[in-house]
Amino acid sequence: MTTPDSPAAPEAPQPAQKDHGRAGRDLPAAITSAVVLVAAILLSLFFWKTAFMGIVAAAVAVAVWELHRGLSAKDIDIPEQPLMLGGVVMVVVAYFWGAPALVTATAVTALVIMLWLLRRGVAGYVKNATASVFTLVYVPFLASFVALLLGEGGTNPAFGLDLDDHGVRGVITFIAITVASDTGGYVAGVLFGKHPMAPVISPKKSWEGFAGSVVATIAVGVWLVTSFLGGDWWVGVVLGVIAAVMATLGDLCESVIKRDLGIKDMSQVIPGHGGLMDRLDSLLATVAPIWLVLYYLVF
């Protein structure tokens, strides 16, 4: 016990945060995590493409958990279990029965969630119901377009790699072009970034980085559409521009959400990357328009 005249006890030293420089992240951990995730995706597609739906469903469940965790910082309590279950059902029906089934499953899940929240009473109903429907659309609904894309090649549960499958080709193209956007933007931003795009929302995102995203996605888009999907080169340009714009918007929206909630990362489930939602932001934003372009202009 200290007295008024006694010297104050020294404060415990705070652990210094490691400076990762302009990279902004632990690159070795980030690269290792990315390799593991990509390997899991490719292995599932190459050996049994239906297994990839299991990865998508698991990602939906984790992302819902992260959003529940993040929203709770603002005293918003979304019902985790109904959202997880409904999200998995949406992914499954989209894969096996297509877009009409997805729309129906989304509407039914939204209604079930609103009814579920009635059990809690009146206080906070609008706030929690609104956040729940937002979560439903933001994660399971958008993620279900991956299922729609994979289902373009049929749902035959045959084992083994089939690169003639439109669905497998479409998913590989979608992932590759989105990764190209993130990678091109990251490299150009680190090397040349001087003009912030949205300093209040994401200080490290620059117009130079966005230019790098556009160049990378167009290059990868033209290459994959012409040599891998058998489409016209201009479709690759359209795909690249759309992917770069939507991936950037997805990243900015995720940054806005985190800033509004007052959190740095959604979680720490992926070493070097933070939360799963911190990696899914651009993928969720690009998958629907990529599916639309491929569906009408390539498939």
Side-chain angles (χ1 to χ4, degrees):
M1 180 175 179
T2 61
T3 65
D5 296 327
S6 62
E11 294 184 0
Q14 298 295 322
Q17 292 187 350
K18 189 174 181 180
D19 182 13
H20 297 296
R22 296 188 69 180
R25 67 178 69 168
D26 184 349
L27 280 180
I31 292 172
T32 301
S33 300
V35 169
V36 171
L37 290 172
V38 171
I41 291 169
L42 292 178
L43 286 172
S44 63
L45 287 174
F46 286 175
F47 290 102
W48 186 37
K49 76 172 195 176
T50 305
F52 179 59
M53 288 298 93
I55 294 178
V56 175
V60 165
V62 174
V64 169
W65 169 77
E66 287 187 342
L67 277 173
H68 176 269
R69 179 176 177 270
L71 290 168
S72 63
K74 292 290 186 179
D75 295 323
I76 301 173
D77 186 14
I78 60 175
E80 271 184 297
Q81 289 76 18
L83 277 167
M84 288 180 181
L85 179 60
V88 170
V89 170
M90 288 162 61
V91 169
V92 171
V93 301
Y95 177 63
F96 285 105
W97 294 289
L102 170 60
V103 172
T104 303
T106 303
V108 171
T109 303
L111 290 171
V112 168
I113 288 170
M114 286 188 285
L115 290 172
W116 183 281
L117 288 172
L118 286 175
R119 300 162 59 241
R120 299 181 182 176
V122 175
Y125 179 83
V126 173
K127 176 177 67 175
N128 293 327
T130 302
S132 298
V133 174
F134 165 77
T135 301
L136 182 71
V137 174
Y138 185 31
V139 179
F141 181 72
L142 291 180
S144 294
F145 279 86
V146 181
L148 292 178
L149 187 57
L150 187 62
E152 290 298 328
T155 57
N156 183 2
F159 291 88
L161 172 63
D162 183 10
L163 281 181
D164 292 329
D165 187 301
H166 284 318
V168 172
R169 289 186 175 215
V171 169
I172 292 174
T173 299
F174 149 65
I175 293 174
I177 201 169
T178 306
V179 170
S181 175
D182 288 345
T183 305
Y186 176 73
V187 172
V190 169
L191 295 178
F192 311 111
K194 292 182 179 178
H195 300 87
M197 176 180 287
V200 175
I201 299 173
S202 183
K204 292 186 178 181
K205 188 166 292 295
S206 65
W207 285 107
E208 291 82 1
F210 176 68
S213 292
V214 173
V215 171
T217 53
I218 289 178
V220 173
V222 170
W223 172 56
L224 288 175
V225 168
T226 56
S227 64
F228 192 51
L229 299 179
D232 296 323
W233 67 268
W234 61 268
V235 176
V237 175
V238 171
L239 199 66
V241 172
I242 290 175
V245 172
M246 295 308 298
T248 301
L249 289 176
D251 188 56
L252 289 174
C253 287
E254 177 72 7
S255 296
V256 167
I257 292 171
K258 290 188 293 186
R259 284 188 176 276
D260 186 31
L261 297 176
I263 58 178
K264 184 179 184 298
D265 294 314
M266 285 295 184
S267 73
Q268 295 295 329
V269 297
I270 307 179
H273 289 275
L276 185 62
M277 280 299 300
D278 298 303
R279 295 301 93 204
L280 290 181
D281 50 11
S282 54
L283 291 167
L284 290 173
T286 58
V287 63
I290 286 178
W291 171 78
L292 196 66
V293 171
L294 294 181
Y295 182 81
Y296 285 104
L297 299 181
V298 177
F299 299 150

